[in-house]
Amino acid sequence: MSNIWSEFGFRGNPFSTAPIKANAEGKKLLKGRDKELRLLRMKLTSSDLHTTIEGQNGVGKTSLVGIAAFTLYEEFLDDPENKPAFIPVDHIFQISATENIEAFKEKFLLRMVSFISSLEWLDETRFPVGKLEDLRRWSNDPIIKSFNGGLSIAGFGANASTTNSVNGSSAFSGAGLEASLREILNIMFPAGCSGGFVCLLDNMELLDTSLTARKVLEDLRDSVLSFPGIKWVLCGARGIIRSVASTNRLQGKLATPIELAPLADNDVGDVIEARTSILKTKVDAYIPIASNGFKFVYDISNHNLRIALKFCEDYCLWCAFEGKKPQNEEEKNELLKHWLTSEAEKNLADTQSITRTGWSVFQVISQRPEGISPTGDYGEFGYDSPQALQPHLRSLEQAALIESTIDDSDRRRKTITLTPRGWLIDYYNKTKQN
Ligand SMILES: Nc1ncnc2c1ncn2[C@@H]1O[C@H](COP(=O)(O)OP(=O)(O)O)[C@@H](O)[C@H]1O
Ligand SMILES: [Mg+2]
């Protein structure tokens, strides 16, 4: 036995946790986001501000941005004379707290030059092409070539590498390149409504605190965030985006965030149905999980699609390995519950150090899926000071049952939520109670 999916009758993994690709197939895979797509497309096409999206991890931010940009791109290619040219750039930009701002800017320039040079249709449309020759010359520069491992048109999600330092950047001076790029962008996009390259700056929560995020964005404000015809979409979790978008200095640059909520209950089953029907290679393709089983796991996972997909993949691998092949919905759901219980019990073995009081703290946290603050809400835990809570939080954290964001000013735990392991064990505890 090797690839279980091909044995089940699929050409790919229906539980892949990768963001949805920005292509025609991706459009069919994105479920339950009609309203959000409309809103995001409206913001991209109607505002000169950079778009921002706040939403918990695994909720579907990256996927949504990819598809929104792709649909605009499709419409443009379909009718280039009349439609604004929105072009998704095939790269997920990320920035870390240790990143040098100049290095990030350089990387952005190099990416853009390679990408624009690779757009084969560019000569034939309404853009004057004289300047493009400059860019294409740049893109043949050995340094740029070595940096760019080959780009293809349109498709976020191709790689989500973090950005550290550019190879050979010391030998590279970006000034002339930046001027050429700005000139071309000005020709292509004389006004905000003529379109733009859509660039995704993803996972801003990697910056850890909103103070750092604000600082980084303020540093980028007059460079990377001020190119004509570059429409950034900034995505992040844990309140980071909400926080940066509301500062004075950035308010003139960043739009009010779109708050992306978890997929509605009714749409969750469709996610797996779309994936299996698109990926199946034979009529009797098989998976050991039913649509409502997926929904069940989604609920256990605190409505985090990525975690739900991961649990289901593990379950399918286990079924294949153990030679289990439940047939109807009832059998599938029963086996799924059995697996969830035994997984939880395995994980419980790593939590021996948690005391009875520790578990009661855990229970309070589990009742607040949006997160709870030890400093503000310690009363809810039945403590009269936040300090008394600390040892329990520490042991829960050490057992990987909870995770927390850190406060900007005093580096203390701010918002606490359960980890995937925590949600699994919470499910287990609840089934044992009943
Ligand atoms: N609307 C949707 N319909 C179907 N699958 C989705 C949808 N949104 C996200 N997914 C899937 O859920 C997982 C997490 O999505 P992603 O966009 O990476 O989330 P985020 O960027 O918010 O962390 C991915 O595997 C993605 O394919
Ligand atoms: Mg993402």
Side-chain angles (χ1 to χ4, degrees):
M1 177 174 43
S2 50
N3 183 319
I4 67 161
W5 310 118
S6 63
E7 261 169 50
F8 283 161
F10 299 98
R11 63 181 159 82
N13 173 2
F15 300 99
S16 158
T17 57
I20 294 177
K21 293 234 170 72
N23 57 27
E25 190 175 283
K27 244 167 73 171
K28 293 189 209 144
L29 291 172
L30 190 87
K31 293 292 163 192
R33 291 297 191 202
D34 293 351
K35 257 172 63 188
E36 292 84 350
L37 264 181
R38 240 183 329 124
L39 180 60
L40 179 53
R41 285 166 44 101
M42 202 177 82
K43 290 212 174 207
L44 281 168
T45 53
S46 316
S47 172
D48 291 336
L49 301 171
H50 298 298
T51 310
T52 59
I53 304 181
E54 169 76 47
Q56 73 184 38
N57 264 319
V59 80
K61 300 179 294 297
T62 308
S63 303
L64 178 70
V65 176
I67 298 300
F70 174 74
T71 56
L72 290 170
Y73 185 51
E74 247 187 351
E75 286 163 21
F76 161 68
L77 289 181
D78 219 37
D79 185 6
E81 297 302 318
N82 298 305
K83 286 286 164 60
F86 282 96
I87 307 155
V89 173
D90 174 19
H91 182 69
I92 296 178
F93 292 92
Q94 293 191 114
I95 191 159
S96 67
T98 54
E99 175 108 27
N100 172 309
I101 296 297
E102 280 308 308
F104 180 79
K105 181 175 162 189
E106 215 163 73
K107 229 172 304 178
F108 163 74
L109 285 174
L110 295 173
R111 278 279 161 197
M112 286 313 297
V113 170
S114 312
F115 182 70
I116 297 175
S117 304
S118 75
L119 294 175
E120 277 153 19
W121 50 261
L122 208 51
D123 303 277
E124 292 135 42
T125 59
R126 55 194 159 89
F127 305 111
V129 292
K131 292 287 163 202
L132 271 173
E133 286 314 308
D134 284 356
L135 268 207
R136 295 216 159 106
R137 254 197 313 278
W138 276 106
S139 78
N140 282 323
D141 183 289
I143 293 174
I144 297 187
K145 268 200 163 145
S146 72
F147 165 75
N148 167 32
L151 289 165
S152 60
I153 294 180
F156 288 128
N159 59 340
S161 62
T162 48
T163 43
N164 289 318
S165 76
V166 180
N167 288 341
S169 67
S170 51
F172 169 77
S173 146
L177 181 61
E178 177 171 351
S180 297
L181 180 63
R182 281 186 182 271
E183 215 166 329
I184 290 187
L185 290 171
N186 269 320
I187 295 170
M188 288 183 76
F189 310 108
C193 59
S194 32
F197 288 103
V198 182
C199 294
L200 174 57
L201 183 53
D202 211 0
N203 301 324
M204 294 285 298
E205 72 278 3
L206 289 177
L207 291 170
D208 211 21
T209 72
S210 39
L211 211 64
T212 319
R214 225 177 285 164
K215 167 94 179 51
V216 164
L217 287 180
E218 281 176 6
D219 286 347
L220 292 174
R221 197 190 108 109
D222 298 319
S223 60
V224 169
L225 295 180
S226 293
F227 272 81
I230 300 287
K231 303 247 175 187
W232 284 99
V233 181
L234 276 54
C235 291
R238 307 193 208 129
I240 285 252
I241 293 291
R242 255 197 312 272
S243 157
V244 292
S246 61
T247 66
N248 266 336
R249 257 180 67 76
L250 290 165
Q251 228 165 24
K253 282 279 171 202
L254 306 181
T256 309
I258 296 175
E259 303 268 349
L260 198 59
L263 224 55
D265 287 355
N266 283 340
D267 299 314
V268 175
D270 294 350
V271 170
I272 289 309
E273 271 166 28
R275 285 179 174 215
T276 49
S277 83
I278 284 173
L279 289 174
K280 75 175 170 201
T281 52
K282 50 185 191 194
V283 278
D284 58 346
Y286 168 85
I287 43 167
I289 192 162
S291 297
N292 60 3
F294 181 68
K295 166 74 172 55
F296 187 76
V297 177
Y298 177 74
D299 287 339
I300 292 173
S301 314
N302 190 30
H303 296 178
N304 180 318
L305 269 175
R306 188 178 297 116
I307 298 178
L309 290 163
K310 166 79 166 44
F311 277 139
C312 290
E313 176 183 296
D314 284 347
Y315 163 72
C316 290
L317 287 168
W318 174 82
C319 287
F321 191 73
E322 298 290 334
K324 309 260 186 215
K325 235 176 167 185
Q327 288 306 312
N328 54 38
E329 189 178 292
E330 198 185 336
E331 276 177 31
K332 289 179 182 179
N333 288 340
E334 199 175 313
L335 190 62
L336 175 66
K337 284 184 187 167
H338 165 79
W339 178 82
L340 285 165
T341 303
S342 64
E343 270 311 281
E345 282 169 351
K346 257 193 275 168
N347 279 285
L348 271 173
D350 295 339
T351 61
Q352 301 301 332
S353 60
I354 311 292
T355 61
R356 186 184 289 268
T357 324
W359 282 115
S360 66
V361 169
F362 175 83
Q363 211 201 338
V364 175
I365 301 171
S366 75
Q367 280 155 7
R368 292 275 297 268
E370 75 291 354
I372 185 165
S373 151
T375 37
D377 304 326
Y378 56 85
E380 273 182 54
F381 292 96
Y383 282 91
D384 43 20
S385 84
Q387 284 73 23
L389 253 179
Q390 294 306 322
H392 302 297
L393 296 178
R394 209 172 309 123
S395 68
L396 289 170
E397 215 160 42
Q398 269 160 8
L401 290 168
I402 62 167
E403 57 197 347
S404 43
T405 56
I406 304 299
D407 188 77
D408 287 332
S409 44
D410 57 12
R411 310 291 305 168
R412 281 193 302 200
R413 292 183 187 82
K414 198 165 56 174
T415 311
I416 302 178
T417 48
L418 299 193
T419 58
R421 168 188 266 179
W423 290 116
L424 184 64
I425 285 175
D426 178 53
Y427 157 76
Y428 179 82
N429 290 345
K430 281 176 185 150
T431 53
K432 289 291 135 183
Q433 276 160 22
N434 297 331

